[in-house]
Amino acid sequence: MMKLLKNCRLHSPMDEGMDHLLVAGEVIVLRGEQALALEGSGGIESADMEGRMVIPGLVDCHAHITGGGGEDGPESRVPSVDLGAFTAAGVTSVVGLLGTDDLVRTTGELVVRARALMAEGLSAWCYTGGYHVPPVTLTGSIRADIVHIDRVVGVGELAVSDHRSSHPTDQELIRIASEAHVAGLMANKAGVLHLHLGDGKQGMDPLFRVLRDSDIPARVLQPTHINRQPALMDEAMEAARRGCHVDITAFPEDPSHADVPAAEALARYLDDNGPSGRISVSSDGGGCLPHFDDHGHLHSLDVGRPDSLLLTLQKLLRSGRPAETVLPAFTCNPAELLKLPRKGRLDVGMDADLVVLEEDYAVRDVMARGQWHWRDGQQRLFGTFEKPGRKTD
C-alpha cells in the first residue's frame, strides 16, 4: 500500500513547517496538499504524525558492520551489528569498513554484509581496504573494486598517525588516493579515501602533504576521528577550508579520555564558521575502541554503538541548537559526499527514509526505503537473527 504521512513538522533538513508526504514503494512521490487530497483513496494507508518533527533518516558514514576489534586477541573481535541496532538509532543508510583487522575480516565479507542489510530493508555500502598498505581488496585492485562492485564507494579506513598503521609513505597515500579518485570518476561514485586519524605525532600532516605535493582534489580525502584530540580539531578546520570533508566520531563520552565529545566538536566547528557542507558525524558502530598507554599497551576497551549518533544529535537539539544547522552533518552532508543522490533529504523523488521524533527528540517511528521499521517505539522489522520485543528508549 501507498502511505500518507500527514501533519509532519518537516525538516528536510531545513525547517519547512507543516507538510504531508505520500510514499509509494520506496520513494516519496507527492508532498503538500496534493498528497493530503488523496487521503481515503483505495490503497492508501494514512498515518497522522500530529505535528511531530520528521527528519531524514541518518546517514552513518563510518560503521564496522561486520564487527571490528581484535587488538586484544581473538576473543576481542566484535560481532557484526544487527539491523535493529541501526534502525533504533534512526540510521537508515550506513557505510561499512574494516579497521585494524583487515586480515581475517575481508572486503568480500563487507560486501556480503552490506547486501544482507540491504535485503533486510536498510541501505548499505562499504569501502575496500582497511588500516594497512597495500589495501586489501576483493578483485586485487582498488579501481576494479570500486568500478565493478556495486556496494563499494571508496577506500578506507586507511590509518595514518597511529602505531597500528603500516606507516604509509606520502607517495603510497598519493597513489591510493589517485586510484580511488579515478575509479570514482569511472563509476560515478564517491571515490573517497577515508583516513583514520590516530594519536600519533604527525597528526594531519600526511593529508596536508598529499594536498601540497599532488593534484588530488581535496574532496577525495576524508579524515575521520577528528575529535580524537583538541589539536586535531584545529587541523581539521584547516583541512575543511582547503576543500576536504571532515568527519567527527560519536565516541562514548568518558571524561578520562582526551577526545572532544561529538556534540561539542560539531558545535565548535559551526561556531568557528567551518564550511557547513564539509562536516559529518558518524558512529564507529561495531568498532572496537581501545585505549593504549605510551608504550602501546592496551589498558581499556570499549565498543562503538550506532545509537551514539542519535545521542549526539539529541544532545545538540536539547541544548537549543537549531535543527537546520546541525541536521546536515547527520544527513545530507555525508549523502552528498558519498554521491547518494536519493538520501539525506525529504522531497519528491527521494527515498522514503525518515525518522519521527517526539517532543523530547526521542525516536517514535523509523521508515527505511518506504517500510516502517519502528512504529510507536516498537520494532516492526527485524534482522534475520534478531529477536522480537525490542523498544526504543
Side-chain angles (χ1 to χ4, degrees), residues 215-243:
D215 298 319
I216 302 297
R219 62 155 189 84
V220 172
L221 305 174
Q222 186 195 27
T224 189
H225 311 322
I226 65 168
N227 54 320
R228 183 184 294 280
Q229 294 180 356
L232 282 175
M233 286 291 303
D234 297 331
E235 293 185 302
M237 184 69 74
E238 173 62 21
R241 287 178 174 148
R242 292 174 64 174

Side-chain angles (χ1 to χ4, degrees), residues 282-306:
S282 60
S283 73
D284 212 357
C288 188
L289 305 178
H291 293 276
F292 299 91
D293 62 23
D294 293 339
H295 303 288
H297 297 138
L298 184 74
H299 64 77
S300 67
L301 202 61
D302 202 347
V303 176
R305 294 175 290 275

Side-chain angles (χ1 to χ4, degrees), residues 136-332:
V136 295
T137 63
L138 183 55
T139 64
S141 159
I142 290 170
R143 274 188 295 163
D145 276 12
I146 296 172
V147 170
H148 294 307
I149 302 173
D150 58 347
R151 297 295 99 197
V152 177
V153 295
V155 186
E157 57 175 314
L158 197 151
V160 296
S161 302
D162 193 303
H163 65 94
R164 295 166 294 171
S165 80
S166 53
H167 302 89
T169 67
D170 294 350
Q171 287 304 309
E172 285 174 324
L173 286 177
I174 290 170
R175 180 183 59 79
I176 293 167
S178 176
E179 289 278 294
H181 172 51
V182 172
L185 296 177
M186 293 174 66
N188 193 24
K189 292 183 180 179
V192 299
L193 172 55
H194 189 68
L195 290 166
H196 162 101
L197 292 172
D199 294 316
K201 299 173 184 177
Q202 292 194 70
M204 219 172 285
D205 284 349
L207 178 148
F208 290 127
R209 292 197 296 269
V210 171
L211 293 178
R212 183 194 67 197
D213 297 336
S214 78
D215 298 319
I216 302 297
R219 62 155 189 84
V220 172
L221 305 174
Q222 186 195 27
T224 189
H225 311 322
I226 65 168
N227 54 320
R228 183 184 294 280
Q229 294 180 356
L232 282 175
M233 286 291 303
D234 297 331
E235 293 185 302
M237 184 69 74
E238 173 62 21
R241 287 178 174 148
R242 292 174 64 174
C244 296
H245 181 114
V246 298
D247 184 52
I248 292 168
T249 303
F251 296 116
E253 293 191 21
D254 186 337
S256 68
H257 297 154
D259 54 85
V260 180
E264 180 184 332
L266 181 57
R268 183 186 303 180
Y269 179 93
L270 296 173
D271 289 346
D272 290 345
N273 296 314
S276 59
R278 298 184 191 144
I279 185 73
S280 60
V281 184
S282 60
S283 73
D284 212 357
C288 188
L289 305 178
H291 293 276
F292 299 91
D293 62 23
D294 293 339
H295 303 288
H297 297 138
L298 184 74
H299 64 77
S300 67
L301 202 61
D302 202 347
V303 176
R305 294 175 290 275
D307 68 355
S308 66
L309 199 59
L310 175 65
L311 294 171
T312 299
L313 175 60
Q314 290 172 330
K315 186 173 183 179
L316 287 159
L317 294 174
R318 289 166 181 165
S319 73
R321 290 272 169 177
E324 57 267 28
T325 65
V326 298
L327 271 174
F330 300 81
T331 56
C332 59

Side-chain angles (χ1 to χ4, degrees), residues 114-135:
R115 288 176 177 163
L117 289 170
M118 290 285 293
E120 292 173 342
L122 210 65
S123 295
W125 295 266
C126 64
Y127 292 119
T128 188
Y131 266 25
H132 304 110
V133 173

Side-chain angles (χ1 to χ4, degrees), residues 10-19 31 346-347:
L10 197 64
H11 288 260
S12 178
M14 299 299 109
D15 184 355
E16 302 192 22
M18 205 66 68
D19 210 340
R31 270 184 59 178
L346 296 176
D347 208 342

